[in-house]
Amino acid sequence: MAASMKIAIVDDEQDMRQSISQWLALSGFDTETYGSAEDALKALGSDYPGVVVSDIKMPGMDGMAFLKRLMAVDSALPVIMITGHGDVPMAVEAMRVGAFDFLEKPFNPERMTELAKRAAGKRRLTLDNRALRRELSDGTGIMKKLIGSSPVMERLREDILDLGQADGHVLIDGETGTGKTLVAHALHAVGAKAGRKFVLFSCAGQDEDVLADRLFGSGGENVPLLEQARGGTLVLEDIDALPISLQARLLTWINEQGTPAETRLVAISNLSEQGRTVEDVLRPDLYYRLAAMKIMLPPLRLRGEDILSLFARFSEQAADEYGCAAPEVSAQEAAQLLQAPWPGNVRQLINVAERAVMQNRRGSGKISSLLMADEDADEPGMTTEGKPLKEYVEAFERMLIDNTMRRHKGSIVAVMDELCLPRRTLNEKMAKYGLSRSDYLGH
């Protein structure tokens, strides 16, 4: 770890800079030296791959002012301050501002190395987490399937990253079709157990003896699921269908693992849509062990213009599969998509998009008729979450630009011509809706 991390040494005394640099270089660090805080600030950015060691008393910008500037650039950057003998109040103030630690002159070089290694370890963890967050926002890997730019989806991706990196068991709740199993896969993919076993099993529709045998084994030839998933992730769908007696055995298994758990358990429930909660049917002690880390997936009807971007993506995929064009969505149909209740959530939206493509291939039918056919007799035709006209117009406009950019593979000129927009207006609208030309090149 130390060899891959840099140490920026900032001190106006050349002898001190050189001695610290030589010692830390012998300890395996890649060192850089600066004679002033001003020079160091020009080189240290928000993702600096290392640690800063700085004297407090320097001419020009002193160490305290330098520390405050660094904290403004990157509050997670570890900074080790070097203070004069007995200058404890200044060291305490540096810690309050955000310093990682401090050393009093004359200091023990081995103490310097120990602090640098701890700071480098913390920095590596920070940078790794940032890289994972960028992976989530870039939509690479399995996270690419968690489409959407609505606040609830941004928060969901953040929750997946945070909980994925933690050790504890997780409870995932939400309505049918919201993507709970996909989230379980994502939790495993971004966590420490990513390269290990991932075992998925549904507790629904099984009698108690079969469940007991599959989960815990009965001494026969079948390897129980708890053993199959050892060291990895075990996902139990429909955890609410697990009988009370087996809940007790599952709790015992959880307690025997200790902390951190060797095998991570991810439990999935659908009960929230039935007017009950998983808390109603699980033993309290089991529920609280699982719900310490809980993810509640948002229903589609609360995801705003995500509905239009999802519809565009799914209809495009279906069109590729059937070898035909995806349907054009009118402003009225976009409003209907946004207002539909979507009781089946994303799964229902996929079905509607596929049927819209098949309809379009035949050259007949409207999206509104598919939505009406999907509504149950006792379901309201529209959601109660009314939105101002401006929101519908903006959502439609974003979808129109997105679809046109995708169809023309990022050609700005072609999009300007089709939508009759000047370049400046198109650029402003793309910036407003978070659309980037690079996302469409070569698609």
Side-chain angles (χ1 to χ4, degrees), residues 7-270:
I7 301 280
I9 300 157
V10 187
D11 199 309
D12 62 301
E13 296 181 19
Q14 185 177 2
D15 289 347
M16 181 63 76
R17 288 199 308 271
Q18 287 182 344
S19 62
I20 294 174
S21 176
Q22 288 169 1
W23 179 261
L24 290 177
L26 288 172
S27 301
F29 288 100
D30 178 10
T31 61
E32 303 172 337
T33 59
Y34 301 93
S36 70
E38 289 86 351
D39 287 344
L41 281 172
K42 295 172 186 175
L44 301 176
S46 62
D47 279 329
Y48 179 70
V51 176
V52 177
V53 175
S54 173
D55 196 7
I56 278 191
K57 291 189 175 177
M58 295 185 289
M61 183 185 294
D62 68 9
M64 287 300 298
F66 178 48
L67 174 63
K68 289 174 183 176
R69 289 282 296 275
L70 288 176
M71 292 299 96
V73 171
D74 186 346
S75 61
L77 177 64
V79 181
I80 299 169
M81 306 300 293
I82 299 174
T83 69
H85 177 64
D87 203 357
V88 175
M90 190 171 285
V92 171
E93 174 65 9
M95 296 289 285
R96 188 192 67 78
V97 171
F100 178 78
D101 212 326
F102 68 93
L103 284 166
E104 281 187 88
K105 296 178 184 176
F107 54 81
N108 181 338
E110 291 182 357
R111 168 70 175 155
M112 163 77 77
T113 301
E114 178 196 337
L115 272 183
K117 285 182 176 178
R118 281 203 293 115
K122 180 184 177 186
R123 185 60 171 169
R124 170 62 59 208
L125 187 60
T126 297
L127 295 177
D128 285 349
N129 278 340
R130 284 180 184 171
L132 277 170
R133 288 181 191 279
R134 288 191 190 105
E135 180 177 328
L136 291 184
S137 63
D138 290 344
T140 54
I142 193 168
M143 305 308 294
K144 189 174 183 180
K145 296 180 181 178
L146 289 165
I147 304 164
S149 56
S150 60
V152 288
M153 287 304 290
E154 296 283 2
R155 191 160 55 249
L156 174 62
R157 285 190 287 265
E158 287 292 318
D159 287 345
I160 289 171
L161 178 60
D162 291 339
L163 299 189
Q165 293 292 294
D167 293 317
H169 308 297
V170 182
L171 176 64
I172 303 175
D173 203 353
E175 297 178 8
T176 296
T178 48
K180 296 184 291 295
T181 302
L182 177 61
V183 168
H185 277 280
L187 281 170
H188 179 75
V190 301
K193 302 182 189 299
R196 302 183 188 174
K197 295 175 184 175
F198 180 88
V199 178
L200 181 71
F201 178 72
S202 174
C203 301
Q206 314 260 12
D207 66 41
E208 188 170 339
D209 290 340
V210 172
L211 278 173
D213 183 44
R214 293 299 308 278
L215 284 172
F216 305 99
S218 57
E221 294 182 1
N222 291 333
V223 179
L225 293 170
L226 298 184
E227 186 61 35
Q228 288 181 36
R230 181 186 290 273
T233 302
L234 173 63
V235 181
L236 294 182
E237 295 180 313
D238 304 294
I239 188 71
D240 37 87
L242 196 64
I244 288 291
S245 61
L246 298 187
Q247 290 181 29
R249 292 181 67 179
L250 187 62
L251 179 65
T252 300
W253 173 77
I254 290 173
N255 291 335
E256 285 174 350
Q257 288 201 86
T259 304
E262 180 185 16
T263 306
R264 177 175 232 184
L265 178 64
V266 177
I268 295 177
S269 171
N270 290 315

Side-chain angles (χ1 to χ4, degrees), residues 342-343 348 351-352 355 369-376 379:
W342 299 112
Q348 181 188 2
N351 293 337
V352 170
R355 282 151 54 200
S369 63
L370 297 175
L371 291 172
M372 291 172 64
D374 262 13
E375 290 168 12
D376 295 329
E379 284 283 352

